[in-house]
Amino acid sequence: MITTVLAGGDPAAIARAAEILRAGGLVAFPTETVYGLGADALSATAVAGIFAAKERPADNPLIVHVADVAAARRLTRSFPALAERAAAAMWPGPLTLVLPRGEAVPDVITAGQDTVALRVPAHPVALALLRACGRPLAAPSANRSGRPSPTRAEHVLADLDGRVALILDGGPTLHGLESSVLDLTGPRPLLLRRGAATLEQLRELLGPVDALDESDAAALRRSPGLRHRHYAPRARVLLVAEGAGEAAVERALAAGERVALVCRREVETQALLLRLPGDLAAFGRELFAGLRALDAAGIERIVVEAVPEQGIGAAIMDRLRRAAAG
């Protein structure tokens, strides 16, 4: 398969992408979070192509992207009042809602579970594509499974060249971190995955929202990005406290490793320094691209200094812990 890259703002490119999707093919497209790898969510055969292209474990559920709230309702058995409130305030946007699964949703989407994850993306290319193809789109991140999520079209091409028919290039993504995943099927809202919509924002909007207890195996199954190796570059990642980067770098250099330091401060070091912005939203936006750049530079060990776990910082730390564990 030859992968074509087209400008996402071109109506002819959107029409071509919609044609590929209606025929059961795969299209990568930008959202405000990361680039997604899309397929017709109502076609089990098309969705199976996502798992093959990404080499994704079959027990890892997918998020379904829809054009509006009405389309989301059609894929659920019920759309409770809290879902209505969340959707009215945060859709289109970086919030995924886990709801009771409707009969039209194939098993392959949900990993056989009785819930489905839905969101309306807030990117003009994604919305134009959803409207043009007239179908809900299953769309996990458009990367090889376990790798850092793609925030630029060139990241998608690096991972999936020859595995996807078309990439719509919409430039760098706004958030650079995946959507938050909020489960509304229990007695209280449960934030399964930290993301661009923060726990603080959700509590202000909805009232009490519980944070995930990672010992809850059943809850872990309802969201992508929680149980398998995720967000990891080829280089080994070491997560250290803020200010402890130089000592960790010295140990890696003494061991003969090609090492890089990722932090928010100016520091003198013999390692390759990737200084990310002090503002946490900007840090999150540039994190995955930075990890990919360090891989391209041949770095073997990446030392990353922790960030404060308030607001979007909690999502950043979730990604860094999983990358380091991988």
Side-chain angles (χ1 to χ4, degrees), residues 37 40-41 54 108 146 197 207 209 221 237 251:
L37 179 59
D40 180 354
K54 285 176 58 73
V108 66
V209 175
R221 293 183 64 236
V237 176
R251 290 192 293 271

Side-chain angles (χ1 to χ4, degrees), residues 33-34 151 173-178 264 276-290 307 312-313 315-316 319:
T33 57
V34 300
T151 59
T173 60
L174 174 63
H175 295 297
L177 297 173
E178 299 79 2
R264 300 188 298 155
L276 293 182
D279 174 76
L280 291 180
F283 187 108
R285 185 162 52 246
E286 297 181 22
L287 174 61
F288 288 145
V307 301
I312 198 68
I316 292 170
R319 304 309 187 270

Side-chain angles (χ1 to χ4, degrees), residues 1 4 22 45 59 128 167 183 295 312:
M1 181 190 303
T4 303
R22 286 194 295 268
T45 302
D59 63 347
I167 301 170
D183 185 353
D295 264 350
I312 198 68

